[in-house]
Each structure stands twice: as C-alpha cells, then as structure tokens.
Amino acid sequence: VCTVVFFPAGTVKGLTSEQMQELDCHVILGNTYHLGNRPGPELVAAMGGLHCFINWPRGMLTDSGGFQMVSLLHLADITEEGVTFQSPVDGSRMLLTPEESIGIQNDLGADIMMQLDDVVPATNTGAAYGWVLRSM
C-alpha cells in the first residue's frame, strides 16, 4: 500500500465494496473481536478469508480486539493472561489472549495485523509490553 492513502479508521456500514473502491479506499478495517464472535474465524477462513468473504480486493487491516476493552469495559475482565469478554449477544465468555488475537487475525487473512493492546497509563506499560512480545 502506497502512503498517503485513504483509510477509514472505523467500521464501514452502508457502502458496498465497489463503492469503497470508487472512493479510492485502499485499506479497510476488520474488527477482530466482533468477527471472532460472529461469524467466527473458522467460517471466514473456510470461505477464503475476509477478502473473499466481503469481496474486497485491496488491503485489509484487522485490529487486535483491544479497543473493546474500552468500549465494552463493563463486559470485560482484564488480567495478565489477556481479556475475558462476556458476549453482549448471548452472554458466553471469550478469553482473548495476545496469541488468540493474532490467531484470529491470521484466520481472517489480514494483510496488516495489530497486536493485542490495552489503554494503560504511561507509567504502567509492563503488561502491554508483555502482550506485544507474546504476539510475535
């Protein structure tokens, strides 16, 4: 991907893949947490990856699932091991570790992947740094 590039930093709803290409979008975002819950990385992988699943021929960036530690904080329990979420859909529990996050992103077929991260104070980077190492 050549930079500077148009990249919507959020979930795109209401536009087709063709419309996104017409807007000269070269990279789109796949949400690891939500795709990991539904439809699930196994199904997406079986359909040829996220590119085929949504008919997107350009770059695909997947987030780590870490943003949901902020947006779904009331449904999350964060530990050194990772983050356990309670599904807002059916109440089931999902442990997202740094390794699991990368595994889901691999199954989704991402071109650009992000390691699991957490918003922490600048004085407390120990767990976040450990998660980076575990993602490699």
Side-chain angles (χ1 to χ4, degrees), residues 53-120:
F53 190 72
I54 64 169
N55 190 31
W56 180 252
R58 296 182 179 174
M60 176 67 64
L61 179 143
T62 49
D63 66 0
S64 67
F67 179 75
Q68 277 65 44
M69 285 186 261
V70 176
S71 66
L72 297 176
L73 183 60
H74 63 288
L75 298 173
D77 180 30
I78 304 166
T79 66
E80 179 69 30
E81 184 179 11
V83 57
T84 301
F85 291 102
Q86 180 181 352
S87 170
V89 176
D90 64 7
S92 64
R93 309 221 8 112
M94 170 192 183
L95 174 62
L96 187 62
T97 65
E99 298 87 354
E100 180 68 13
S101 173
I102 293 296
I104 292 170
Q105 293 176 74
N106 273 318
D107 287 345
L108 296 174
D111 300 307
I112 305 166
M113 295 183 275
M114 299 293 162
Q115 86 282 348
L116 185 62
D117 55 354
D118 189 10
V119 179
V120 296

Side-chain angles (χ1 to χ4, degrees), residues 1-44:
V1 175
C2 296
T3 58
V4 169
V5 63
F6 172 54
F7 167 57
T11 305
V12 176
K13 296 180 181 180
L15 295 176
T16 66
S17 295
E18 293 79 17
Q19 289 169 320
M20 292 299 292
Q21 290 176 66
E22 289 170 10
L23 291 170
D24 204 28
C25 180
H26 291 271
V27 178
I28 60 173
L29 171 70
N31 186 297
T32 297
Y33 168 79
H34 292 293
L35 291 166
N37 276 310
R38 245 185 350 189
E42 300 83 8
L43 176 64
V44 175

